[in-house]
C-alpha cells in the first residue's frame, strides 16, 4: 500500500473502483461507486492517469469520456459476460427490421455504443427511455429492459442478454433469507429476474441501494446483487445489518487484485486503447446519457 501511494503521486493517478470490487481494492480507491457515478467521476477528474478497477466496459467508458488521459485497466481479461452477448451484425439487422432507436446499457462494448442512439445505466434507464420519442431496441439486458417496460410507454424490443451472477439469484435463496431475517427489507438490482423484482422493497442501481439503505428507517437489509456490495454498506453503515446472497459472485469483478493495481502503475499497462473513430462515435450516446443524470 505504501508503494501504491508513492506510485499514485508519481503518476498523478486516481483509482476508481466499482462497488463489486474486492474489499482491499475498495479500501485503496479514491472513489467507489456504480457505473454512472464512475463515468461521472472519470469526466470530472484532473488526474493524468485513471486506474480503473471494474470490468472492461466501465474502463472503456472512462477512456471514451477522456480520450487524452491514460486509462489503466489492471487486468484486461476482466470482461463482463453480458457485454459480450451482443452481435453487432444482428443488432444492425434489428435496427433495419424495427426502425427503432438503440438504447444500450452501459454494459456494452465500445463498438456497440458507437452504433447506439443513447446509453443508460441501471441508475437512469427509465429516465433515458422516457426521453426517447420513438420505439426502442434495448440492449443487452433483458431483465433490466423488462423492468423499464413497467414504467414507460415506448414500444420496446429486448435483446436476450443477461447477467449470469444476477440470474443465479433464485426466489428460493431470497425466501430463505426473508424467513431467517423477517424484519429485513429486500433491495434488488434490476438485472435480477422478475420474480425477485416483485418481492423487493426497492429496486435500484448499486449506488441507489446504498443511498436507500442510508435513508431508510429499516435496520436490516437483504441484498439481491453481487455479494461485495455488502462490504461497502457495512463499512458506511456499521449500525445496520446487511445479508448477502452467498453464491452471488461476479468472477470477472474479482480478477483485479492489489498486486495488479501496483504493477499497472509501475509498468503503465495494461492500458485501454480504442480507435479514434470508435471514440468519436461512442462518446455521443455516452454524453447524451451523462446530461440526463439519475432517475
Ligand atoms: P451498477 O451500475 O448498478 O453499479 O451495476 C453495474 C453492474 O455491472 C451490475 O451487474
Ligand atoms: Fe457483468 Fe453481471 Fe458482473 Fe455486472 S455482475 S459486471 S453485469 S457479469
Amino acid at each position: 500500500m505504501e508503494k501504491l501511494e508513492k506510485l499514485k503521486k508519481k503518476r498523478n493517478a486516481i483509482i476508481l473502483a466499482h462497488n463489486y470490487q474486492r474489499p482491499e481494492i475498495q479500501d485503496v480507491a479514491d472513489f467507489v461507486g456504480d457505473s454512472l457515478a464512475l463515468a461521472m467521476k472519470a469526466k470530472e477528474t484532473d488526474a493524468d492517469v485513471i486506474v480503473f478497477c471494474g470490468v472492461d466496459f466501465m474502463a472503456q467508458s472512462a477512456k471514451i469520456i477522456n480520450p487524452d488521459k491514460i486509462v489503466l485497466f489492471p487486468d484486461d481479461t476482466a470482461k463482463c459476460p453480458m457485454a459480450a452477448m451482443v452481435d453487432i451484425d444482428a443488432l444492425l439487422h434489428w435496427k433495419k427490421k424495427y426502425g427503432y432507436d438503440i438504447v444500450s446499457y452501459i454494459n456494452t462494448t465500445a463498438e456497440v455504443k458507437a452504433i447506439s442512439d443513447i446509453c443508460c445505466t441501471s441508475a437512469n434507464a427509465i429516465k433515458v427511455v422516457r426521453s426517447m420519442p420513438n420505439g426502442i431496441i434495448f440492449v443487452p439486458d433483458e431483465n433490466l429492459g423488462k423492468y423499464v417496460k413497467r414504467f414507460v410507454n415506448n414500444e420496446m424490443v429486448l435483446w436476450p442478454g443477461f447477467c449470469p451472477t444476477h440470474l443465479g439469484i433464485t426466489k428460493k435463496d431470497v425466501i430463505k433469507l426473508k424467513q431467517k431475517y423477517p424484519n429485513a427489507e429486500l433491495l434488488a438490482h434490476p438485472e435480477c429476474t422478475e420474480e425477485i423484482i416483485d418481492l423487493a422493497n426497492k429496486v435500484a442501481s448499486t449506488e441507489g441501494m446504498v443511498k436507500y439503505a442510508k435513508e431508510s428507517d429499516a435496520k436490516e437489509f437483504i441484498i439481491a446483487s453481487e455479494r461485495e456490495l455488502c462490504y461497502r454498506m457495512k463499512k458506511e453503515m456499521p449500525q445496520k445489518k446487511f445479508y448477502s446472497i452467498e453464491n452471488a459472485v461476479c468472477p470477472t469483478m474479482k480478477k483485479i487484485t492489489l498486486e495488479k493495481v501496483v504493477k499497472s502503475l509501475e509498468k503503465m499497462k495494461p492500458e485501454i486503447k480504442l480507435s479514434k473513430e470508435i471514440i468519436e462515435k461512442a462518446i455521443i450516446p455516452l454524453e447524451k446519457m451523462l446530461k440526463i443524470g439519475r432517475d
Side-chain angles (χ1 to χ4, degrees), residues 36-254:
L36 184 62
L38 291 167
M40 287 172 163
K41 203 76 192 169
K43 189 173 162 72
E44 74 192 32
T45 184
D46 52 16
D48 297 318
V49 176
I50 297 172
V51 184
F52 206 102
C53 302
V55 289
D56 56 346
F57 70 84
M58 298 177 178
Q60 286 184 348
S61 299
K63 180 68 184 176
I64 295 163
I65 292 165
N66 279 299
D68 299 329
K69 287 192 197 299
I70 294 173
V71 177
L72 297 176
F73 185 34
D75 186 329
D76 57 5
T77 66
K79 295 181 195 294
C80 165
M82 182 207 283
M85 287 177 190
V86 184
D87 177 77
I88 303 252
D89 290 339
L91 180 57
L92 287 170
H93 177 72
W94 274 33
K95 171 110 186 152
K96 216 167 160 189
K97 180 174 161 194
Y98 294 104
Y100 291 168
D101 291 327
I102 299 175
V103 176
S104 67
Y105 191 24
I106 196 159
N107 300 41
T108 44
T109 59
E111 289 73 18
V112 169
K113 288 184 179 74
I115 57 164
S116 300
D117 294 281
I118 192 164
C119 292
C120 72
T121 76
S122 56
N124 60 13
I126 297 169
K127 212 168 163 188
V128 165
V129 173
R130 279 190 182 145
S131 78
M132 303 299 281
N134 305 318
I136 297 298
I137 296 169
F138 191 85
V139 63
D141 189 29
E142 192 173 13
N143 282 332
L144 176 61
K146 280 184 186 165
Y147 178 66
V148 171
K149 242 181 162 176
R150 298 180 182 201
F151 303 95
V152 302
N153 296 319
N154 308 58
E155 287 292 324
M156 284 176 76
V157 283
L158 312 179
W159 195 264
F162 60 90
C163 163
T165 305
H166 286 84
L167 203 71
I169 300 174
T170 65
K171 193 171 174 181
K172 209 169 138 199
D173 294 332
V174 170
I175 303 267
K176 218 165 121 188
L177 282 174
K178 272 173 86 78
Q179 280 166 350
K180 195 165 172 198
Y181 306 109
N183 296 324
E185 287 198 339
L186 174 68
L187 313 187
H189 195 277
E191 287 173 14
C192 290
T193 58
E194 279 184 299
E195 54 180 16
I196 306 290
I197 300 282
D198 289 338
L199 291 172
N201 297 86
K202 175 76 182 171
V203 177
S205 76
T206 55
E207 199 64 35
M209 286 189 253
V210 175
K211 185 169 181 281
Y212 179 88
K214 282 185 178 164
E215 290 168 359
S216 167
D217 289 333
K219 302 269 179 288
E220 295 175 70
F221 302 88
I222 297 162
I223 307 301
S225 191
E226 214 270 353
R227 220 171 57 177
E228 224 72 79
L229 178 56
C230 287
Y231 174 74
R232 178 171 163 208
M233 290 175 145
K234 285 176 185 164
K235 192 171 157 183
E236 293 184 12
M237 293 166 265
Q239 75 287 9
K240 298 195 175 189
K241 286 199 159 67
F242 297 94
Y243 309 114
S244 58
I245 311 282
E246 206 42 47
N247 59 353
V249 178
C250 172
T252 47
M253 278 280 180
K254 301 295 177 280

